[in-house]
Amino acid sequence: MMMNCNEARDLITLYIDNELQGEKLEKFKEHIENCEACRIELAEITRVVELCADMPEEELPETFKEQLHSKLVDVSRQDNSIRKVIFFKNSYLKVITTVAAVFLVFVALSGIYGNDLLKGRFLNVKDMNKTAQMDEKKMESSEAEVDAGMAEDQSEAQLRIASGEAGASSALESDASKSAQPREAWDSDGTAKDVTRGTMEGRSFMMTALPELREIRIAANTDDIEKVIGKIEEYADELGLEAAKKDDTNQNLSIEPTAKFAGEKTEMQLIVPNASYEGFIQNLKSDPELSKILSFGEMQKLNADDYINKLNSELDQIIQLIDKTENSGSTAEKSKETLKQLKEKRDSIQAEIESITINPDCTIVKFEILKEG
Amino acid sequence: MSDREKDLLKKARNGDIEAFEQLIEDYQKRVFNIALRMIGNYDDANELAQEVFIRIFKSIKDFKEESSLSTWIYRITTNVCLDEIRKRKNKNVVSLDEEVKLEEGDLQRQVEDTRPTPDVIAEKNEVRKLVKDAIMSLPEEQRTVIILRDIQGFSYEEIAKIMKCPEGTVKSRINRSRQILRDRLKPKMELLKGDYVK
């Protein structure tokens, strides 16, 4: 039986592309021999295919590679700059309210202790205590004893407090002794409540002579970035809440994610008060899933002033970029999105500066979470 | 995939731009030409092709090697172009100025490329312009298969993988697209009077 025209026309494309074989090919050829209309159709479509194949191939635009390169550099920079900062807002904000009072002491003491102390920052005694409790060995740190100088007459607990901050702070021991605090108050159980309540409206402050931040980098490879972030956040949350429970003055602890995370590489940053640091790391290390993928870098010491200066110059740059973008008057979606990202980043850096200025005794925990290929 | 490609891919996944550039070197011209035929405009094709490679760079960590690198690259190429075409359709952004500018640019480049006698060039350019317009008038799915098959010369199997559809669909789409092209070109010219030889 001969192929009909509809069947034949459906096969024209396959015939042209050499995809017809065997019996079908024979029948198609037979039909074309005998049907003029289909023969013309085949000729015309063959010509269309030839005309398409004759369309010239263009060379790449001269600047193509150059342009692409600079875009790639931009993209990879953007990727690196996306970060998520979470702050533990312990009671530090409340400290501001008493800063005026403390400032008087600060000025007075700086007269006594010289220039080093001019760099000093305020430290919450209660947090120092917590740290002291946490690490018995650190309490015996000889560094602290050297710092203390007149150790004999000082209460042991005060030394512990000073050493508890890993040498970053030299506590103003003489302040405590001059104000004739009872030694018993700084008992080995570390609860110095009576003493602290006794001074400065329920809080006592000490200064860190050399503001020093700690920084640790933690890397992870995972096929599920969001899950890992979720887990880290959970532990951060847990710890934050725990701290809130312990600290009866703090009702409004919050953990604020201030930037969205990217798809392939996410940097996340936690500002963890040193008092809470060990517990947080312990939690991470004892998590069955996280412990497998996290790798911990070495603890670095940073100069707080340098660090804050660096953040400030970063902030300046971003503010300039925001101005530039706003003044360009562009309403394109792209620049709106850029502006939004820049503003998020600006807020995040501002919050970071604020957080560290108020509490330099913290560890910056930087996570770099990479998506596994 | 060659060992060299594997090595470059690994580095590119870690954000190594130089390795990425080497990896895509062989694909750039073809990606640009697909974009050019899809969008019909030299400058837009330049933008789109760059967008394609940016997208590839951003998602190369997610490339699971279920398909070959080339299939994956051309799939992203057609997707980026189709997205743009659909976006334009919704916004009706095709302006007359743009069209005119393009045509001139195209003609100029073709004149530079070929050096036969002026009247042959003129005739060839006229034919090409008609074919180009006819291709541009096709619905985007049909335009895609014609460009991949009849301009770029991909096999049915490759096209099916790039477009993620069954080979049968590819065949019928190509068939239909060629018929439409024929219908649109026929009234305009004598082009189709090629001798039937087979």
Side-chain angles (χ1 to χ4, degrees):
Chain A
M1 201 182 79
M2 210 174 104
M3 195 175 260
N4 67 33
C5 288
N6 280 342
E7 283 175 293
R9 285 180 190 193
D10 281 346
L11 295 176
I12 286 179
T13 269
L14 296 180
Y15 176 75
I16 293 172
D17 290 332
N18 282 325
E19 296 274 337
L20 268 190
Q21 282 142 14
E23 199 191 343
K24 257 194 178 171
L25 177 62
E26 293 311 315
K27 285 198 166 177
F28 177 79
K29 277 182 174 171
E30 190 192 343
H31 179 92
I32 293 293
E33 293 288 334
N34 296 302
C35 172
E36 204 198 349
C38 285
R39 203 155 58 233
I40 293 172
E41 170 109 1
L42 173 63
E44 286 173 349
I45 293 200
T46 305
R47 185 78 184 119
V48 164
V49 173
E50 284 168 7
L51 286 171
C52 287
D54 193 43
M55 291 301 278
E57 190 181 45
E58 298 283 346
E59 290 301 319
L60 272 182
E62 266 176 35
T63 54
F64 186 86
K65 290 181 183 178
E66 209 178 292
Q67 284 178 13
L68 180 61
H69 182 81
S70 68
K71 284 183 190 172
L72 290 171
V73 171
D74 279 356
V75 167
S76 88
R77 205 175 284 154
Q78 252 174 32
D79 258 14
N80 288 336
S81 69
I82 292 172
R83 57 177 174 180
K84 182 171 194 173
V85 183
I86 296 179
F87 301 100
F88 282 80
K89 283 194 181 164
N90 271 328
S91 48
Y92 301 115
L93 284 177
K94 298 201 170 178
V95 172
I96 300 177
T97 57
T98 47
V99 156
V102 173
F103 189 66
L104 293 174
V105 181
F106 176 75
V107 171
L109 290 173
S110 64
I112 303 167
Y113 287 94
N115 281 339
D116 269 3
L117 286 176
L118 287 173
K119 286 183 183 172
R121 306 210 181 246
F122 306 114
L123 182 69
N124 189 323
V125 165
K126 285 173 78 182
D127 285 317
M128 294 171 78
N129 256 336
K130 279 184 213 157
T131 319
Q133 273 177 286
M134 231 184 282
D135 195 340
E136 290 282 329
K137 279 185 184 165
K138 269 189 192 162
M139 289 180 190
E140 285 152 21
S141 144
S142 59
E143 195 182 343
E145 280 168 13
V146 173
D147 277 352
M150 29 191 166
E152 276 180 23
D153 281 321
Q154 301 303 319
S155 79
E156 201 191 329
Q158 275 178 287
L159 286 177
R160 288 178 182 176
I161 291 161
S163 58
E165 289 306 310
S169 56
S170 83
L172 298 174
E173 312 83 359
S174 60
D175 177 34
S177 60
K178 273 175 196 159
S179 54
Q181 302 294 349
R183 245 177 238 191
E184 300 75 19
W186 301 88
D187 209 60
S188 56
D189 71 7
T191 48
K193 264 195 174 168
D194 292 344
V195 179
T196 51
R197 299 279 158 175
T199 56
M200 283 184 202
E201 304 167 13
R203 284 187 175 261
S204 160
F205 297 93
M206 293 201 173
M207 275 170 268
T208 53
L210 293 166
E212 201 169 49
L213 294 169
R214 304 193 303 175
E215 182 188 273
I216 185 159
R217 287 171 184 268
I218 302 174
N221 269 306
T222 173
D223 54 2
D224 190 347
I225 289 187
E226 296 200 18
K227 192 175 163 198
V228 171
I229 288 181
K231 281 215 154 201
I232 294 171
E233 277 179 344
E234 246 173 60
Y235 286 120
D237 226 350
E238 219 171 80
L239 207 72
L241 292 173
E242 213 173 280
K245 275 183 217 149
K246 276 187 192 161
D247 184 350
D248 55 358
T249 61
N250 175 33
Q251 301 302 320
N252 52 357
L253 174 134
S254 65
I255 293 166
E256 292 179 6
T258 54
K260 288 193 180 109
F261 40 86
E264 290 118 33
K265 176 179 167 183
T266 298
E267 287 189 15
M268 182 165 130
Q269 185 165 313
L270 299 170
I271 313 281
V272 184
N274 287 339
S276 313
Y277 175 78
E278 293 293 339
F280 177 62
I281 296 295
Q282 260 323 305
N283 283 347
L284 293 181
K285 283 184 174 165
S286 52
D287 182 280
E289 279 177 59
L290 289 182
S291 60
K292 267 185 248 161
I293 57 165
L294 295 180
S295 64
F296 293 78
E298 273 183 39
M299 181 75 79
Q300 305 287 323
K301 299 253 168 108
L302 306 170
N303 180 296
D305 286 334
D306 289 350
Y307 190 79
I308 288 171
N309 284 340
K310 201 184 110 228
L311 287 177
N312 271 322
S313 71
E314 216 176 304
L315 187 63
D316 284 345
Q317 280 177 9
I318 288 189
I319 289 171
Q320 276 175 21
L321 270 175
I322 290 175
D323 284 349
K324 216 169 128 192
T325 315
E326 276 177 343
N327 290 335
S328 76
S330 166
T331 51
E333 280 304 311
K334 215 174 170 181
S335 67
K336 271 192 216 160
E337 184 57 30
T338 313
L339 200 58
K340 202 177 131 218
Q341 280 176 4
L342 284 172
K343 284 184 174 170
E344 274 173 8
K345 206 169 166 196
R346 176 196 62 194
D347 295 344
S348 142
I349 295 177
Q350 273 172 346
E352 192 177 348
I353 293 174
E354 184 188 321
S355 168
I356 290 173
T357 311
I358 292 166
N359 175 37
D361 293 290
C362 56
T363 304
I364 300 161
V365 185
K366 288 185 170 169
F367 291 93
E368 188 183 281
I369 306 157
L370 286 169
K371 184 144 188 163
E372 226 167 28
Chain B
M1 194 182 284
S2 68
D3 284 350
R4 180 179 171 269
E5 252 191 341
K6 271 183 198 158
D7 182 50
L8 290 175
L9 183 61
K10 198 175 157 196
K11 286 180 182 161
R13 281 186 168 136
N14 286 324
D16 184 333
I17 293 176
E18 210 180 297
F20 177 76
E21 285 168 332
Q22 287 177 42
L23 188 68
I24 59 166
E25 176 79 36
D26 295 343
Y27 302 99
Q28 294 186 37
K29 195 173 169 187
R30 207 163 183 189
V31 165
F32 172 71
N33 273 279
I34 293 173
L36 178 62
R37 294 299 162 215
M38 291 285 285
I39 210 79
N41 167 333
Y42 197 82
D43 292 336
D44 288 351
N46 184 19
E47 282 293 311
L48 276 183
Q50 297 202 15
E51 169 67 25
V52 167
F53 289 112
I54 297 292
R55 230 185 258 190
I56 289 170
F57 182 67
K58 283 181 174 171
S59 53
I60 200 151
K61 284 188 192 111
D62 297 328
F63 171 53
K64 300 268 188 245
E65 295 180 56
E66 281 158 4
S67 55
S68 72
L69 181 66
S70 68
T71 301
W72 184 65
I73 288 176
Y74 297 129
R75 186 183 303 143
I76 292 178
T77 307
T78 53
N79 287 343
V80 167
C81 292
L82 288 170
D83 283 353
E84 181 63 24
I85 291 166
R86 285 170 193 148
K87 219 193 287 170
R88 287 180 182 206
K89 251 199 331 208
N90 292 338
K91 286 186 184 166
N92 278 329
V93 289
V94 185
S95 78
L96 281 176
D97 288 353
E98 222 170 50
E99 284 285 296
V100 171
K101 197 177 122 207
L102 289 183
E103 310 294 340
E104 280 171 2
D106 258 10
L107 288 178
Q108 269 172 11
R109 270 187 299 280
Q110 284 168 18
V111 173
E112 283 161 15
D113 285 347
T114 47
R115 312 218 168 202
T117 57
D119 53 330
V120 173
I121 296 167
E123 197 191 306
K124 209 168 187 180
N125 283 339
E126 198 192 336
V127 171
R128 282 175 173 172
K129 188 183 174 304
L130 284 170
V131 175
K132 183 192 143 189
D133 289 349
I135 291 173
M136 288 302 291
S137 74
L138 289 172
E140 60 260 22
E141 301 282 351
Q142 291 177 350
R143 199 187 310 170
T144 311
V145 290
I146 281 291
I147 290 165
L148 293 179
R149 174 69 213 152
D150 290 336
I151 298 182
Q152 293 296 331
F154 286 102
S155 71
Y156 292 161
E157 192 190 345
E158 285 170 313
I159 296 171
K161 282 182 186 159
I162 291 170
M163 297 185 76
K164 278 195 166 172
C165 65
E167 239 180 272
T169 311
V170 173
K171 286 176 189 166
S172 57
R173 259 187 209 160
I174 292 174
N175 199 36
R176 183 77 199 110
S177 309
R178 284 172 176 172
Q179 282 173 354
I180 297 175
L181 276 186
R182 191 269 321 266
D183 293 344
R184 298 209 170 145
L185 288 170
K186 199 175 179 180
K188 288 180 188 165
M189 48 205 268
E190 303 286 292
L191 299 173
L192 300 180
K193 285 188 180 163
D195 294 328
Y196 170 60
V197 269
K198 283 190 183 178

